[in-house]
Every structure is written in structure tokens, then in C-alpha cells.
């Protein structure tokens, strides 16, 4: 059975998104806010993700869920998600609640381990991550991966136990989504120096790297570094249907990318050119999010599916949540930082409006 998109039901997601923005809107104006916890955010985000009618994959997953129940076999998803279907009451929305709530607990646990301000996180979350968070089951693997890494970058008192937790967590995350081995490999680039020269070099080399991006990826895939499953997964990304640009697509592209360029400009200016103090874990997350954004731009508009760019941008939003929450709590607002946040609001509103209008 296939499910049709519903513009009417998508309004629910728009209302939840607006509600979170309104509750925590004071973050827009000042860096220090009143103390709070994650309870309201957890409640509203869980509701949003369980009934994510504004996201196309919600309907696709429902059809896949039905087929798995009908044929009693694992289809499309990793074995863990099929196991959950078997042990949980047979209801699609219960399954979604369990998967996405576990992922939410992990990302909020990650925020707690880095001592990020809950009030600031609660405002940044709907700005840059909420819509991405609701898209795919892969959020469980991504959040477990980032949570496990926090035991390396911010270890507990017994470092051996901390590193063991990190290793086990990272290994488990790899089987929760096929894309994780690739994103884990990209993380290694975050340990290279990142300074003014690096930024200048990346800008100058961008046209050259963009030209060699596809051949290089296929060369790496042919080197038997990754598992067959990961290679097949990536190759399908690169060889899937070519994206087609039109006037509407260009407008959406501009609205989507303006806030991303602005926020990275703000972060680079603050932490690279002004050399502002930044904790070591946040330095890694900052570099990681920037590298993911850079890679997404390398593939943007290439003669491959836009899926490559979209998935990399999807992954980028998770470390960027941590970095932007850290920045907004530490630094006083500037006109540019406020404009960047406003741009994210406009971009999200446009996305919701387009979904509701096109499916009404």
C-alpha cells in the first residue's frame, strides 16, 4: 500500500516548529538565557518526528513497514529496525516514536556531555536540525556515533572505560545505517590543521577538487577499503538519476544555501580569523561540519543525483547543532549572526509552506 502526502497533516509539523521557535526566541536576542532542561524540547521534537507528515520519507517508510509486516521479512532497512518491528506492538507510529526518541535522547545526551546550554540548544535545534532529524531512520546511527565520540573527546574519569564505550558505540552505529562508515572516514579529516591558510587553500582549490571529486570517490571505492555493502550503497548514490534544475529549484536552492553560507562565514570569522577560544571537542565538530558542507558543495549540481549532496548536508546538521549552540551561548549577537538565524527561519518556513502548498 502506498501513502499520499498530506498538506493538511503537514500543518501539524509547522505548528510544532513554530511553537519551539516562539518558546525559545530570546536566544535570538541574547547569548545568556534563563536556565531550563530538555523536557519541552524532547516532548515537542518526539511529537514532530513521530508524526512527521511534512517529510516525504514518512510515507515511504509507512509503506515499507506494511510490507515487512505482510511478508514477515526485512525490507530496505537494517536488521535492527526490523527486529524492533517484531518486538513492538504492530503500529507504525509506535515504531517511529521508539526509533526517533532513542535518537533524540542520544543527541541531547551528547549536548549534555559537552555542557551545552539547554535553552540555546532548544532554539538552535528547530532552526537547523528538526526537519533533517525527522527524515530518515539513519538519525539513530548518526546520533549514536556522535554520542560515542563524546567519550573520546570528553572522556569520563576512567579513560579506559570511556574509550571502550566509544569503540563499542561507534561499532554499533555502523550497523544502524549503511552511510556511517563513509561519514566516519570523513571525520578523520577533522584532525588536520584548520587555519587561515587552510581556508584560503580550500577556496582556491575548490574548482579543481570539484572536477576530480567523482573520479576520486570511485577510485577509493575500488580500493576495497570499505565493505561491499557500503560500496554498493555509495555507488547507488553516485549513479542514481541526475537531478534536473528549473526556476523553482534554483529559488529553493538559494533560500536553502544562504543561511548555511552565512553561518559558516560567521563561525570561520570568529574561530579562524579572530582566533576566539574554543573547546577541543567543539573544534573537531566545527571542522567536521565544515568539511561535510564543503564536500556537499563539491557534488552540488554535478551530473549525479542530488542525493549525494543532500545526504552530506543531512549529516552536517548534527555536528553543526553542537557548534552553533556553543557559539551562540559564548558570543554576543552581531547583525550578521542575527541575520543568519533569521535566514534559517525563512528557509524553514519556505520549506514547510512549499510542502503544504504542493500537497494540498
Amino acid at each position: 500500500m502506498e501513502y499520499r502526502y498530506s498538506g493538511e497533516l503537514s500543518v501539524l509539523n509547522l505548528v510544532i516548529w513554530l511553537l519551539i521557535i516562539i518558546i525559545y526566541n530570546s536566544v535570538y536576542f541574547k547569548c545568556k538565557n534563563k536556565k531550563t532542561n530538555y523536557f519541552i524540547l524532547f516532548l515537542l521534537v518526539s511529537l514532530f518526528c513521530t508524526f512527521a507528515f511534512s517529510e516525504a520519507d514518512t510515507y515511504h517508510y509507512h509503506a515499507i513497514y506494511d510490507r515487512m509486516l505482510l511478508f514477515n521479512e526485512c525490507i530496505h532497512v537494517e536488521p535492527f529496525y526490523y527486529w524492533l518491528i517484531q518486538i513492538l506492538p504492530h503500529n507504525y507510529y509506535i515504531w517511529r516514536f521508539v526509533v526517533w526518541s532513542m535518537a533524540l535522547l542520544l543527541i541531547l545526551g551528547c549536548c549534555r556531555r559537552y555542557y551545552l546550554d539547554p535553552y540555546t540548544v532548544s532554539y538552535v535545534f528547530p532552526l537547523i536540525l528538526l526537519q533533517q532529524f525527522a527524515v530518515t531512520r539513519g538519525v539513530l546511527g548518526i546520533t549514536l556515533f556522535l554520542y560515542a565520540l563524546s567519550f573520546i573527546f570528553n572522556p569520563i574519569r576512567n579513560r579506559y572505560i570511556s574509550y571502550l564505550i566509544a569503540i563499542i558505540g561507534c561499532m554499533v552505529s555502523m550497523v544502524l545505517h549503511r552511510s556511517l562508515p563513509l561519514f566516519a572516514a570523513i571525520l578523520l579529516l577533522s584532525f588536520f590543521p584548520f587555519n587561515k591558510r587552510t581556508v584560503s587553500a580550500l577556496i582556491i582549490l575548490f574548482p579543481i577538487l570539484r572536477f576530480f571529486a567523482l573520479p576520486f570517490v570511485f577510485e577509493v571505492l575500488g580500493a576495497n577499503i570499505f565493505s561491499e555493502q557500503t560500496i554498493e550503497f555509495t555507488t547507488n548514490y553516485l549513479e542514481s538519476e541526475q537531478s534536473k534544475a528549473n526556476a523553482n529549484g534554483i529559488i529553493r536552492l538559494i533560500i536553502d544555501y544562504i543561511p548555511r553560507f552565512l553561518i559558516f562565514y560567521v563561525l570561520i570569522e570568529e574561530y579562524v580569523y579572530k582566533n576566539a577560544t574554543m573547546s577541543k571537542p567543539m573544534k573537531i565538530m566545527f571542522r567536521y561540519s565544515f568539511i561535510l558542507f564543503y564536500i556537499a558543495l563539491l557534488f552540488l549540481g554535478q551530473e549525479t543525483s542530488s542525493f549525494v549532496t543532500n545526504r552530506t548536508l543531512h549529516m552536517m546538521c548534527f555536528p553543526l547543532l553542537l557548534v552553533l549552540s556553543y557559539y551562540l551561548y559564548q558570543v554576543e549577537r552581531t547583525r550578521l549572526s542575527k541575520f543568519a538565524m533569521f535566514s534559517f527561519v525563512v528557509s524553514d518556513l519556505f520549506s514547510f509552506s512549499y510542502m503544504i502548498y504542493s500537497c494540498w
Side-chain angles (χ1 to χ4, degrees):
M1 180 177 180
E2 297 298 327
Y3 295 89
R4 285 185 152 189
Y5 303 163
S6 172
E8 295 92 334
L9 292 175
S10 298
V11 174
L12 170 66
N13 299 106
L14 174 58
V15 170
I16 296 172
W17 176 83
L18 281 171
L19 186 59
I20 303 174
I21 293 291
I22 292 170
I23 291 173
Y24 299 102
N25 75 90
S26 64
V27 175
Y28 178 84
F29 300 100
K30 56 185 178 181
C31 64
K32 304 296 182 182
N33 297 282
K34 60 184 179 181
K35 298 296 181 181
T36 188
N37 54 40
Y38 291 111
F39 177 74
I40 294 177
L41 181 68
F42 178 82
L43 188 66
L44 293 176
V45 172
S46 295
L47 183 62
F48 184 103
C49 295
T50 301
F51 304 102
F53 300 116
S54 59
E55 305 301 330
D57 274 3
T58 300
Y59 305 91
H60 299 156
Y61 276 131
H62 202 164
I64 292 169
Y65 179 93
D66 289 347
R67 288 201 293 273
M68 284 191 284
L69 283 182
L70 179 63
F71 297 110
N72 196 30
E73 64 176 334
C74 184
I75 301 172
H76 181 69
V77 301
E78 290 75 16
F80 173 78
Y81 303 101
Y82 178 62
W83 174 75
L84 278 181
I85 291 173
Q86 292 178 305
I87 66 168
L88 291 173
H90 290 171
N91 183 286
Y92 173 61
Y93 296 104
I94 292 177
W95 177 78
R96 282 191 66 90
F97 173 78
V98 170
V99 172
W100 270 264
S101 292
M102 285 194 296
L104 184 55
L105 287 172
L106 286 168
I107 192 64
L108 295 182
C110 193
C111 292
R112 288 173 65 92
R113 297 211 75 255
Y114 290 133
Y115 306 107
L116 299 177
D117 175 54
Y119 205 93
T120 308
V121 171
S122 297
Y123 180 74
V124 175
F125 201 108
L127 280 190
I128 67 170
L129 185 59
L130 184 54
Q131 293 186 60
Q132 291 292 330
F133 196 85
V135 171
T136 170
R137 72 195 183 279
V139 296
L140 185 56
I142 294 170
T143 53
L144 177 57
F145 176 63
L146 292 178
Y147 183 71
L149 287 177
S150 73
F151 286 89
I152 295 177
F153 302 143
N154 184 33
I156 59 178
R157 183 170 299 178
N158 188 323
R159 289 179 176 266
Y160 295 106
I161 297 295
S162 191
Y163 296 154
L164 180 61
I165 293 172
I167 292 170
I168 294 173
C170 287
M171 290 176 63
V172 173
S173 72
M174 297 299 118
V175 302
L176 292 177
H177 200 268
R178 292 181 290 271
S179 65
L180 262 298
L182 286 169
F183 290 130
I186 292 172
L187 174 70
L188 299 177
L189 299 175
S190 305
F191 294 93
F192 286 91
F194 190 72
N195 49 40
K196 296 177 184 178
R197 291 182 179 180
T198 309
V199 173
S200 299
L202 288 173
I203 293 173
I204 294 170
L205 292 173
F206 182 81
I208 300 172
L209 294 176
R210 183 174 163 83
F211 180 79
F212 288 106
L214 281 176
F216 174 76
V217 171
F218 281 120
E219 188 70 25
V220 171
L221 291 175
N224 295 323
I225 298 174
F226 301 103
S227 67
E228 290 185 10
Q229 195 175 33
T230 301
I231 293 172
E232 181 183 0
F233 177 76
T234 309
T235 304
N236 288 339
Y237 272 6
L238 297 172
E239 294 181 345
S240 52
E241 184 181 358
Q242 180 178 334
S243 57
K244 299 178 181 178
N246 52 37
N248 178 57
I250 293 173
I251 292 172
R252 292 191 65 185
L253 199 67
I254 293 172
I255 294 174
D256 282 346
Y257 276 85
I258 284 178
R260 291 163 177 165
F261 275 108
L262 285 175
I263 207 61
F264 275 110
Y265 179 86
V266 168
L267 292 172
I268 289 171
E269 182 182 38
E270 184 70 21
Y271 294 116
V272 178
Y273 286 89
K274 292 183 180 179
N275 202 26
T277 303
M278 196 179 202
S279 67
K280 289 183 179 179
M282 288 303 104
K283 283 182 181 179
I284 299 295
M285 291 297 107
F286 171 45
R287 294 171 186 174
Y288 191 32
S289 58
F290 176 79
I291 291 167
L292 289 167
F293 184 58
Y294 190 85
I295 291 173
L297 293 178
L298 289 178
F299 287 96
L300 180 64
Q302 294 265 32
E303 292 186 357
T304 59
S305 171
S306 58
F307 206 45
V308 180
T309 294
N310 291 341
R311 270 304 171 93
T312 311
L313 289 175
H314 173 75
M315 181 66 188
M316 175 206 75
C317 292
F318 291 83
L320 186 58
L321 167 73
L322 306 175
V323 177
L324 188 54
S325 298
Y326 178 88
Y327 166 80
L328 290 176
Y329 187 70
Q330 299 290 334
V331 180
E332 294 292 339
R333 304 291 171 266
T334 64
R335 288 184 179 180
L336 188 57
S337 65
K338 290 172 74 174
F339 182 67
M341 286 188 283
F342 178 74
S343 299
F344 273 111
V345 172
V346 172
S347 177
D348 289 346
L349 273 175
F350 182 84
S351 178
F352 279 117
S353 301
Y354 180 82
M355 179 65 180
I356 293 169
Y357 171 77
S358 62
C359 300
W360 202 273

